Amino acid sequence: MHDSFSAELVRLLVISLVILFFGLLSGVWWLPILIGLGGYIIWHLRQMYHMEEWLHGISRNEQDLRGIWQYTASRMRKISNRGRQRKKRLSRLLHRFYDTLEAMPDAAVILKGDLRVQWFNVAAMELLGLDVDARRKERRIQNLVDHPAFVNWIEEGVYDTPLEMPAPADLSRQLQIRLVSFGNQQSLLLAHDVTELKRVEAVRRDFIADVSHELRTPLTVVVGYMEMLSEEKLPEDIHQALLSSRRQAERMQSIVADLLMLSRLEMNEDQVAQAETVDVPALLTGLVEDARRLSGEMAHALSLHADESLGLLGDESQLGSAFGNLIFNAIRHTPAGTPVDVFWSHDGEGARLVVADQGPGIAPEHLQRLTERFYRVDKSRSRERGGTGLGLSIVRHVLRRHDALIEISSTPGEGSRFVCLFPAQRVVTLSL
């Protein structure tokens, strides 16, 4: 119990004792009660009057208040001061937040729950073409950024994948747009200028394509001469050196071929693959036979389980490259005699290709990076087996052009499983 409340109870007890004393002394009870309680009520009414003046700011002096009223006013003043200090801190924090966004080179737009514009920085005016009037009228962002791709992206409401589009205020610039939620039903729209990054990527693709193209002819000549010399009667050490040089030149030819394929896929990444009917079971049968020859003395246990009536609409050359990379990888990266199973079957309304092995498996930390170019889990073993580190990157690009996805799962010591998922619009029924 607080001291001020205890004092108020003592004051009421004293008044009660006085009323009791004068009532017993005079024998008349109503008059002491009227005087005692009436005085007590009048005192509290006066304190309430002073409290009201203090609350309205008419009187700033708390000395007119007494007892529990003075304590209440003191507590209210402390709470009010804390509230003002908290408000100042929040205000400073909010100003720092806005200053930070204002200093960003990226466009930043704060949106309400219904995607109405609440605030944006100067960069948003430069990159997205917004004006000050849009902030004042709180218009919807899809009505301000006039680009079909942006409007469709907003209306679909799936913001996990960023959107790339030309800048509405400057079509020569390329933007990458993200939308993230924060706070109480608010969103932050960020637009990053990736023009220079796209230019560098284009230069890199052109350089790799040009170098690969220029290397192909001299490598063909070198391999041809080495094949011719290896058939001649030469000393054993020279013969072995020629064979080793030929193997390395052929490996370089394989890298150049993969680089050229990857460059062509990246240059036409946004194009959908042609829609010719591909006999996938026949394609897989040929690839499995090639894999058996590649396995040679390692004698991998290859088996194909294919639905003979199931085909695809796509580019047979590209699909053959993607499927071959998956099957040949299983041969290169598993021990001799390891079973490798290839499945081609329906997946609901779509189709799926599964390449499963029982090899050493892949650690979880490598799975997310397997489709990056030149990424190898075991670099030394990949070089020994002739891997280029480009196979799964080619697979990813081919599947993207065929509206398909790749899923990779693996358990160390138990094997790996590569699954290609094709949508229903790519599936056709073959005539048997």
Side-chain angles (χ1 to χ4, degrees):
M1 187 180 297
H2 201 271
D3 293 342
S4 59
F5 186 70
S6 300
E8 193 65 27
L9 290 178
V10 170
R11 183 180 292 110
L12 186 59
L13 179 61
V14 170
I15 293 173
S16 301
L17 291 175
V18 171
I19 292 172
L20 179 62
F21 174 75
F22 282 103
L24 292 173
L25 187 64
S26 62
V28 180
W29 289 96
W30 65 269
L31 184 60
I33 292 174
L34 179 63
I35 294 173
L37 294 182
Y40 183 73
I41 293 172
I42 291 172
W43 182 82
H44 273 289
L45 288 175
R46 181 174 177 78
Q47 295 299 312
M48 289 176 63
Y49 172 75
H50 290 309
M51 174 64 81
E52 187 179 14
E53 285 190 326
W54 181 78
L55 288 174
H56 287 285
I58 299 174
S59 172
R60 298 186 180 276
N61 188 6
E62 298 177 15
Q63 300 303 321
D64 294 334
L65 298 171
R66 296 289 185 272
I68 196 170
W69 295 96
Q70 187 179 43
Y71 171 76
T72 302
S74 175
R75 293 296 300 166
M76 291 176 66
R77 176 172 51 77
K78 291 179 180 179
I79 294 172
S80 177
N81 289 339
R82 283 201 299 268
R84 279 196 295 269
Q85 291 173 1
R86 188 179 297 110
K87 185 177 180 180
K88 288 180 181 178
R89 287 196 300 270
L90 291 174
S91 179
R92 287 194 297 268
L93 182 62
L94 185 61
H95 279 92
R96 284 200 298 270
F97 173 70
Y98 283 129
D99 290 342
T100 301
L101 293 180
E102 199 68 67
M104 288 174 57
D106 297 342
V109 184
I110 297 178
L111 305 172
K112 294 184 176 180
D114 56 357
L115 299 182
R116 293 183 182 275
V117 174
Q118 186 174 2
W119 183 91
F120 53 81
N121 61 359
V122 175
M125 302 171 67
E126 297 175 356
L127 296 177
L128 298 176
L130 304 182
D131 54 29
V132 178
D133 186 59
R135 188 191 304 179
R136 185 174 66 253
K137 293 184 178 180
E138 295 189 349
R139 297 172 61 189
R140 294 181 183 273
I141 187 64
Q142 58 266 43
N143 297 332
L144 297 174
V145 181
D146 186 18
H147 193 281
F150 180 81
V151 174
N152 292 335
W153 186 67
I154 289 293
E155 290 179 352
E156 287 176 1
V158 181
Y159 309 122
D160 296 335
T161 303
L163 171 69
E164 291 189 0
M165 56 172 276
D170 185 357
L171 297 179
S172 65
R173 303 168 76 175
Q174 193 76 7
L175 300 180
Q176 185 182 78
I177 299 178
R178 297 178 181 272
L179 187 67
V180 293
S181 300
F182 75 98
N184 184 18
Q185 294 186 344
Q186 288 183 298
S187 301
L188 179 63
L189 181 78
L190 295 172
H192 177 58
D193 188 346
V194 293
T195 307
E196 184 62 18
L197 178 61
K198 291 295 181 182
R199 187 191 69 80
V200 171
E201 286 182 353
V203 170
R204 187 260 303 166
R205 285 197 301 266
D206 293 342
F207 173 76
I208 291 176
D210 292 342
V211 170
S212 301
H213 182 75
E214 293 299 324
L215 285 174
R216 184 168 55 176
T217 300
L219 278 172
T220 302
V221 174
V222 169
V223 171
Y225 278 119
M226 286 184 176
E227 286 179 352
M228 181 181 66
L229 289 172
S230 63
E231 295 175 357
E232 299 292 330
K233 292 183 178 180
L234 297 170
E236 183 63 22
D237 56 341
I238 296 177
H239 183 71
Q240 291 299 324
L242 284 172
L243 289 178
S244 177
S245 299
R246 177 182 169 184
R247 283 195 298 270
Q248 293 303 318
E250 289 175 344
R251 180 171 178 272
M252 189 173 292
Q253 275 188 316
S254 176
I255 294 175
V256 168
D258 283 350
L259 282 172
L260 284 172
M261 166 69 79
L262 193 56
S263 296
R264 285 194 294 268
L265 291 171
E266 288 182 336
M267 288 178 181
N268 303 307
E269 191 170 10
D270 296 331
Q271 296 181 6
V272 178
Q274 60 183 348
E276 65 180 12
T277 301
V278 179
D279 188 342
V280 177
L283 177 64
L284 291 174
T285 299
L287 292 172
V288 169
E289 289 301 320
D290 292 341
R292 288 195 177 100
R293 285 192 291 272
L294 176 65
S295 177
E297 295 179 356
M298 297 182 69
H300 287 85
L302 275 157
S303 59
L304 173 62
H305 316 271
D307 186 336
E308 297 294 334
S309 65
L310 188 60
L312 286 176
L313 292 175
D315 187 307
E316 184 170 359
S317 174
Q318 292 181 13
L319 289 172
S321 177
F323 296 167
N325 272 301
L326 291 175
I327 297 171
F328 299 155
N329 276 351
I331 299 299
R332 291 191 184 102
H333 302 295
T334 56
T338 302
V340 176
D341 294 300
V342 181
F343 301 89
W344 172 244
S345 60
H346 284 280
D347 180 46
E349 296 182 356
R352 70 164 59 198
L353 173 77
V354 179
V355 178
D357 63 63
Q358 299 177 27
I362 304 167
E365 62 267 21
H366 297 295
L367 293 179
Q368 295 298 321
R369 300 191 60 191
L370 283 179
T371 56
E372 295 179 11
R373 59 170 62 209
F374 296 115
Y375 186 82
R376 297 184 179 95
V377 176
D378 187 339
K379 295 181 173 57
S380 60
R381 188 175 64 180
S382 296
R383 291 192 179 97
E384 291 172 1
R385 303 282 178 86
T388 64
L390 296 171
L392 289 179
S393 184
I394 291 174
V395 172
R396 176 169 59 88
H397 281 84
V398 170
L399 293 181
R400 183 180 297 173
R401 293 196 65 193
H402 288 78
D403 310 311
L405 299 172
I406 183 169
E407 295 180 353
I408 305 173
S409 59
S410 182
T411 302
E414 297 182 10
S416 304
R417 183 181 177 89
F418 296 80
V419 182
C420 303
L421 301 172
F422 293 88
Q425 63 267 24
R426 286 282 178 179
V427 177
V428 294
T429 301
L430 302 175
S431 55
L432 300 177

